[in-house]
Amino acid sequence: MSSHPRRTAGALLASVAALLTAGVPAAAAATPTPQPKPTTSDPAPKASAPVPDPRATVAVLDLDAGGATPVIQGEDRAYDTASIVKVDILAALLLKAQDEHRTLTDEERGHAEPMIRRSDNEAANALWKEIGRAPGLTAANDRLGLTSTTAGPGGKWGLTRTTASDQIRLLRAVFDDGAPTPLTDDARAYIRTLMAGVLPEQSWGVSAVNAAGTELKNGWLQRTTTGLWDVNSIGEVTLGGHRCLVAVLSDGSASMSDGVSLVERTARAAVA
């Protein structure tokens, strides 16, 4: 029984389209024998969703114990900073102003305060440009004693990479009266004041240790490549009469709320 030429051509085109949908190159689709043709009811293959693999590292330094080396739990590897880098950006801005023998301008303060207190990204964009982007942050970090922080590319300050131990170095430059620091007392007091005044809805993280006083900055970022979350928290807490610097970095959480829970559990366990 002979086949109708139009039906034959239509069937061939349908087979080629189905194979292309399945990810087979067109050259292979022209050959009828290498592999079976899927029927129209066969579903197209779908990419598997990333499996959450949350990890966290915490570093704690008791300022009243007289030491300079933090206790670290977890692998002290690099994580994305997300918005905790805004403390670093502010420190770099203050160093720039010091070098120019001036205080911050009204415009700079108008960006610095919402950047820390509200985690305002537009304000961070403005100050990232003001400090000279990645080269400016890198130069400031050399002076602040950070050794394992790599500034984010272009305008992507949130993709700066850092370690928990490096964040303790940054916090010591701000909070440790006995540590060498290029920041003036006024600059340090300004950073601390802003970190003590973050919005209540952003005062999670290291504050979960139920400390009497907390000065902190948090960061959160959903990665577009995986859909998973980076969630971080840094700051000073006062617990049992001791001032402690705490830095918790995490990634791989399925949601922001999962990341916050991980950071808070990690902080509580480390400080306890």
Side-chain angles (χ1 to χ4, degrees), residues 24-127:
V24 179
T31 305
T33 55
Q35 54 185 338
K37 300 180 181 67
T39 67
T40 56
S41 61
D42 289 337
K46 296 180 180 180
S48 299
V51 177
D53 181 23
R55 293 174 291 179
T57 302
V58 58
V60 179
L61 178 64
D62 185 341
L63 293 179
D64 295 318
T69 303
V71 175
I72 298 173
Q73 296 179 13
E75 181 186 358
D76 196 25
R77 63 178 184 85
Y79 293 82
D80 298 325
T81 57
S83 285
I84 62 169
V85 75
K86 292 170 181 174
V87 176
D88 204 1
I89 292 172
L90 179 55
L93 177 69
L94 289 163
L95 286 176
K96 181 176 184 291
Q98 288 176 199
D99 293 344
E100 296 169 357
H101 306 289
R102 63 176 179 84
T103 59
L104 295 186
T105 66
D106 289 343
E107 182 179 10
E108 288 169 338
R109 287 181 180 274
H111 291 311
E113 293 176 14
M115 179 180 71
I116 301 298
R117 287 178 166 157
R118 294 193 283 109
S119 204
D120 187 278
N121 290 336
E122 290 303 317
N125 290 340
L127 294 184

Side-chain angles (χ1 to χ4, degrees), residues 78-189:
Y79 293 82
D80 298 325
T81 57
S83 285
I84 62 169
V85 75
K86 292 170 181 174
V87 176
D88 204 1
I89 292 172
L90 179 55
L93 177 69
L94 289 163
L95 286 176
K96 181 176 184 291
Q98 288 176 199
D99 293 344
E100 296 169 357
H101 306 289
R102 63 176 179 84
T103 59
L104 295 186
T105 66
D106 289 343
E107 182 179 10
E108 288 169 338
R109 287 181 180 274
H111 291 311
E113 293 176 14
M115 179 180 71
I116 301 298
R117 287 178 166 157
R118 294 193 283 109
S119 204
D120 187 278
N121 290 336
E122 290 303 317
N125 290 340
L127 294 184
W128 181 248
K129 294 176 183 176
E130 178 69 18
I131 67 170
R133 299 179 183 251
L137 189 74
T138 299
N141 284 344
D142 287 343
R143 298 168 64 181
L144 292 164
L146 278 64
T147 59
S148 302
T149 298
T150 304
K156 298 179 180 179
W157 41 261
L159 295 185
T160 297
R161 303 276 287 171
T162 193
T163 62
S165 58
D166 238 17
Q167 288 303 293
I168 294 295
R169 295 183 183 100
L170 175 61
L171 292 173
R172 287 192 70 204
V174 175
F175 291 97
D176 189 350
D177 296 331
T181 175
L183 293 166
T184 66
D185 289 344
D186 287 344
R188 295 170 64 230

